Amino acid sequence: MGTRPEAAGPTGQDRSGAAQKRGATARTNPQARLRDEESTRRDRSGAAQQRGATARTSPGARPGDEESTRRDRSGAAQQREATARTNPQARPGGAGASEVRAGKSTVGKSQAGANGAQPERGRNERSGHREKNTPGYSQDGEAVQAPFSRNRTTQNAAPRDGQPLAQTNKPVGRSARQQQAGARGASLHANRQDEQTRQSERSSSSPSYRNNAKPVARQRDFAGSDSGKASVDKAPIANISTAEEIKVGDIIAVTIKRIGINGEGVGYFRRKTIFVPGALPGEVVRAKAVKVESSYIQGALTHIEKSSPDRVAPPCPVYLECGGCQLQHLSYAGQLAAKEALVREAFERYTGIRELPLRPILGMDEPWSYRNKAQLQVGRQNGRTITGLYAAGTHRLVDISGCPIQHPGLNRVMREVSRIADELGVPVYDERKRSGVLRTVVARIGWRSQQVQLTLVTASAELPQREALVRRIRQALPEVVTLAQNVHPGTDSLIFGDETKILWGRDQLDEELGELRFALSPRAFFQLNPSQTVKLYDAVKEAAALTGRETVVDAYCGTGTIGLWLAPMASEVRGIELIEDAVADARRNAQRSGLGNARFYADRAERLLPQWVREGFHPDVVVVDPPRTGCEAALLGALVDAKPQRLVYVSCNPSTLAKDCKTLLEGGYRLEWVQPVDMFPQTAHVECVVKLRLENIENAQL
């Protein structure tokens, strides 16, 4: 256990010999420290006064950063006094005195999935580049519903500083109506959390979770505790005056300012950025430096000294191991606030806009069980076949067949397919040995129909026990209407191979979105969160401001969902997509929905758009929905040259969105508003719709 650094006495000189002797004796003899508590307290008081005087006259002499010094003088003292009031045994000379001085506090569980896989796009029919995937998943995504009016309401807040924290409402600058709406959403979320916790408790004893390497009831949090309370790092806070002095292994104190793009807490130590997975905005934490670079520090959370009122207990029993979610330890109201801040910070950093016309984020009334598609790896664990995701930074598979953000029907499908494959002895693909057959199970459920499309991705065209597998799946899962096999013999990290064949059932899954009808092949892209997709597309429709006379270009159109959403209000819609299969799906979808004014082309938008302009076709509105990497530079140039009256930018990455908007602003466009949409609750992912208008329309070539 580290001891607190001693400071000079009130006279500016070293403490008296007797005081030094008492300090040395206290370090080696706890009983002597307790007997001399009153003398030690006086020495500390004088030392604290001297540190304050020294800091006022000589800033360079401050030990550590200002936050650490402030906490030395007040945080620890307040904790000792609070403990003394509530626990007489812990008063000076009592049995708990040494623990109080050591800085132990009982705070809420510190879990996060910030180490989970980064949001990225995998190859698919989404676009000519990479499909939209949510954090930790190789899946696709999008949005719907009435605005969630964010109210900073404490929900199931964890105890802070050893005391229970009452449930309170803290409106921040919102109208009474918005506050009431936020309270309703918070109440719904709190009820859902109770339900999910009960489900998690039940599922933790089910076979699907008993197969995990670690018992879920003892899952450890980011602060190193398996009891839901932060632990104390035994090493003292490093006495460092500059960020350049920090080295790997040092313990530093930091106040968390915001959430980063991957869900980690972001703070600053002597103006140097530090990333702390598991920490939340407003928290004061201790972090161990695990990586030190010239421009940033990567920290590991060791102790929470001041817990956020928005910290909650994650309902998922494998939350920390899985990495698919990053924010289950943050209340939903807190998640929405963090995502708004993420968008605001990105625009300020990359465009210099300090007063961003940011609308309140559109959240969900029910932020659980929303995913309509799952793509899970298949593996063996404890002698059984399981489906799941790889733990962050490893090739250890975590069973997530009880995932609380997936549709319950998908969880059932995954459990049954795993059981049937196990009982039939279907060989599971081993990535290291390059042997076995069954690699991935992909299931999609219809939002309206509740029917399931099931695809088995295999390493070879030969599927052992094929007939028995089809028969057993049909018997156990009558909701399955399509059973397909995709062959992926490669060694890359992509989910699908080039060959897909139907083993039984329909070629496509029927789906509806609003008034539109879609036919989805096994590899077709479709948004993962249908209820939020309607909200997202309605924001696009508002930004496009169509009157029925405009021509629209939908770049990166995928299977044509956005273009078809706009087609009833447009004169003509042209969609551009590189993947030919997706274009074929878009054309079929237009036909099924009876939209004859929508046409789709297989090409690159940066090549085809300039060609159309040269041929005399000048779109009034252009919509872009690029991958996380943003628009190609050539397409941004083509957009500026084409000069459409309105640009609608749909983005899943605030950083690349802001960078691309800077180029468009420099090209003559004005940013009118930004609408964030929470497509993926419990993750750090946030979608945005941005409306840009050409500044001088009368001078544009229309």
Side-chain angles (χ1 to χ4, degrees):
M1 180 179 298
T3 57
R4 182 169 162 179
E6 301 295 347
T11 61
Q13 301 173 352
D14 292 342
R15 293 184 305 167
S16 68
Q20 292 183 20
K21 186 175 182 180
R22 283 197 302 272
T25 303
R27 287 191 291 271
T28 58
N29 186 348
Q31 296 302 321
R33 178 175 55 190
L34 297 179
R35 287 194 302 269
D36 293 331
E37 181 64 22
E38 185 61 29
S39 297
T40 304
R41 184 186 62 79
R42 286 195 298 267
D43 288 339
R44 286 182 184 151
S45 176
Q49 292 177 20
Q50 176 60 24
R51 283 196 300 273
T54 303
R56 287 190 295 272
T57 58
S58 178
R62 297 175 188 173
D65 65 357
E66 294 177 358
E67 190 62 45
S68 175
T69 305
R70 181 189 63 77
R71 190 170 54 258
D72 277 347
R73 293 200 300 266
S74 62
Q78 291 174 10
Q79 185 179 357
R80 287 196 298 272
E81 292 168 6
T83 306
R85 287 194 298 272
T86 58
N87 183 5
Q89 297 299 320
R91 291 174 182 170
S98 60
E99 285 192 355
V100 173
R101 282 188 219 102
K104 288 188 178 179
S105 64
T106 47
V107 295
K109 193 168 189 179
S110 173
Q111 293 194 15
N115 286 341
Q118 301 284 336
E120 61 179 359
R121 293 177 188 254
R123 283 284 173 190
N124 208 330
E125 285 73 17
R126 178 66 184 94
S127 68
H129 302 279
R130 301 185 70 78
E131 75 177 5
K132 228 177 243 190
N133 295 333
T134 52
Y137 293 84
S138 300
Q139 302 182 17
D140 347 357
E142 274 182 52
V144 187
Q145 287 184 9
F148 181 97
S149 181
R150 176 170 53 80
N151 184 33
R152 297 275 279 174
T153 303
T154 302
Q155 305 164 31
N156 302 337
R160 180 175 57 178
D161 299 334
Q163 301 298 325
L165 185 65
Q167 199 166 10
T168 58
N169 290 337
K170 297 181 180 180
V172 274
R174 309 296 290 272
S175 68
R177 180 182 60 81
Q178 290 174 319
Q179 293 169 18
Q180 292 170 2
R184 286 194 299 272
S187 176
L188 282 170
H189 177 55
N191 293 338
R192 175 61 179 176
Q193 278 195 317
D194 292 340
E195 178 188 347
Q196 287 292 338
T197 301
R198 290 192 295 271
Q199 291 176 353
S200 296
E201 290 171 352
R202 290 194 296 269
S203 63
S204 65
S205 60
S206 69
S208 63
Y209 279 111
R210 282 203 300 267
N211 295 333
N212 287 322
K214 293 183 180 180
V216 297
R218 301 294 291 174
Q219 178 181 319
R220 297 179 68 84
D221 62 24
F222 272 88
S225 168
D226 54 12
S227 63
K229 299 175 183 178
S231 66
V232 173
D233 192 287
K234 299 302 178 64
I237 294 175
N239 191 2
I240 297 171
S241 59
T242 66
E244 288 68 28
E245 298 177 42
I246 295 176
K247 59 184 182 298
V248 171
D250 283 344
I251 303 292
I252 56 179
V254 62
T255 299
I256 302 302
K257 300 297 185 183
R258 58 183 176 85
I259 289 293
I261 196 168
N262 298 313
E264 71 278 32
V266 181
Y268 300 91
F269 183 84
R270 299 297 193 189
R271 298 179 180 268
K272 192 170 188 177
T273 304
I274 177 168
F275 301 102
V276 186
L280 297 177
E283 292 187 330
V284 179
V285 304
R286 293 188 189 186
K288 178 183 290 186
V290 296
K291 184 178 182 181
V292 179
E293 299 290 344
S294 59
S295 58
Y296 71 92
I297 304 165
Q298 183 68 40
L301 181 63
T302 64
H303 178 55
I304 305 173
E305 298 205 356
K306 177 186 174 184
S307 181
S308 167
D310 283 322
R311 181 174 287 278
V312 297
C316 178
V318 294
Y319 169 53
L320 185 61
E321 294 179 88
C322 164
C325 297
Q326 298 81 46
L327 297 178
Q328 282 193 26
H329 64 304
L330 179 60
S331 72
Y332 191 52
Q335 291 180 34
L336 297 181
K339 292 180 182 186
E340 285 184 356
L342 195 64
V343 175
R344 192 177 289 108
E345 191 272 339
F347 271 88
E348 183 174 346
R349 170 174 296 195
Y350 295 111
T351 68
I353 299 175
R354 300 184 66 86
E355 296 297 328
L356 185 69
L358 184 69
R359 294 180 168 185
I361 188 170
L362 303 179
M364 296 188 72
D365 293 328
E366 179 54 59
W368 302 95
S369 303
Y370 60 82
R371 295 182 66 91
N372 67 357
K373 183 181 178 184
Q375 312 189 146
L376 304 185
Q377 303 302 309
V378 183
R380 298 283 294 177
Q381 192 174 95
N382 297 336
R384 298 175 64 88
T385 299
I386 65 168
T387 55
L389 298 177
Y390 290 119
T394 75
H395 271 56
R396 180 176 63 83
L397 201 62
V398 178
D399 183 357
I400 66 162
S401 56
C403 178
I405 67 170
Q406 287 182 173
H407 189 290
L410 295 181
N411 289 332
R412 168 176 143 80
V413 168
M414 290 298 173
R415 287 193 294 266
E416 288 298 306
V417 171
S418 297
R419 178 184 63 81
I420 293 169
D422 188 62
E423 292 175 355
L424 293 177
V426 177
V428 172
Y429 182 71
D430 188 309
E431 189 177 33
R432 293 185 179 87
K433 297 179 180 179
R434 303 283 189 249
S435 62
V437 178
L438 188 58
R439 301 179 65 139
T440 309
V441 177
V442 182
R444 187 192 334 246
I445 190 167
W447 186 31
R448 298 271 178 88
S449 68
Q450 299 295 296
Q451 295 175 337
V452 173
Q453 182 182 72
L454 180 62
T455 304
L456 307 177
V457 181
T458 60
S460 64
E462 171 104 20
L463 177 58
Q465 299 283 352
R466 169 180 164 176
E467 292 184 2
L469 192 62
V470 171
R471 183 177 65 256
R472 293 278 300 274
I473 289 175
R474 290 182 60 190
Q475 290 172 348
L477 298 167
E479 62 268 33
V480 172
V481 296
T482 298
L483 182 52
Q485 177 188 2
N486 176 268
V487 181
H488 182 199
T491 59
D492 54 48
S493 60
L494 301 180
I495 297 296
F496 289 108
D498 295 330
E499 179 187 358
T500 302
K501 51 187 176 183
I502 304 299
L503 302 180
W504 173 85
R506 307 175 190 169
D507 292 344
Q508 297 167 320
L509 178 71
D510 294 335
E511 184 60 289
E512 296 179 14
L513 197 63
E515 300 300 319
L516 301 180
R517 301 171 60 193
F518 300 91
L520 306 175
S521 59
R523 295 179 59 193
F525 170 83
F526 195 72
Q527 297 288 8
L528 286 177
N529 187 340
S531 66
Q532 288 294 94
T533 300
V534 174
K535 291 183 195 174
L536 182 78
Y537 288 1
D538 279 347
V540 172
K541 181 166 63 176
E542 179 188 353
L546 301 176
T547 64
R549 299 187 299 271
E550 293 85 359
T551 54
V552 178
V553 168
D554 179 10
Y556 303 103
C557 72
T559 54
T561 52
I562 291 180
L564 295 176
W565 196 261
L566 300 178
M569 286 77 66
S571 171
E572 180 184 359
V573 172
R574 297 187 183 186
I576 309 173
E577 171 59 55
L578 183 62
I579 305 299
E580 293 185 0
D581 287 349
V583 171
D585 280 343
R587 290 168 178 165
R588 282 192 294 267
N589 292 333
Q591 185 176 7
R592 288 170 63 90
S593 297
L595 297 171
N597 64 335
R599 299 175 179 83
F600 298 93
Y601 303 82
D603 209 325
R604 290 188 177 275
E606 57 267 28
R607 192 199 73 81
L608 199 54
L609 180 58
Q611 176 182 318
W612 286 343
V613 171
R614 289 193 299 269
E615 293 171 353
F617 175 79
H618 300 278
D620 301 302
V621 178
V622 174
V623 180
V624 294
D625 184 9
R628 286 188 61 80
T629 51
C631 292
E632 296 286 341
L635 177 58
L636 292 174
L639 291 172
V640 171
D641 292 340
K643 293 182 173 59
Q645 298 177 38
R646 292 179 292 282
L647 278 174
V648 184
Y649 196 132
V650 183
S651 171
C652 57
N653 185 335
S655 295
T656 54
L657 168 65
K659 292 176 184 177
D660 287 352
C661 281
K662 184 177 188 297
T663 300
L664 295 171
L665 294 174
E666 292 171 347
Y669 284 87
R670 181 181 72 253
L671 192 155
E672 294 207 345
W673 48 257
V674 180
Q675 175 64 73
V677 181
D678 189 22
M679 294 293 296
F680 308 109
Q682 319 310 326
T683 77
H685 186 85
V686 59
E687 199 97 0
C688 288
V689 176
V690 174
K691 179 179 181 180
L692 300 116
R693 181 184 291 274
L694 193 63
E695 284 278 20
N696 299 310
I697 296 177
E698 64 276 6
N699 296 328
Q701 182 183 1
L702 300 176

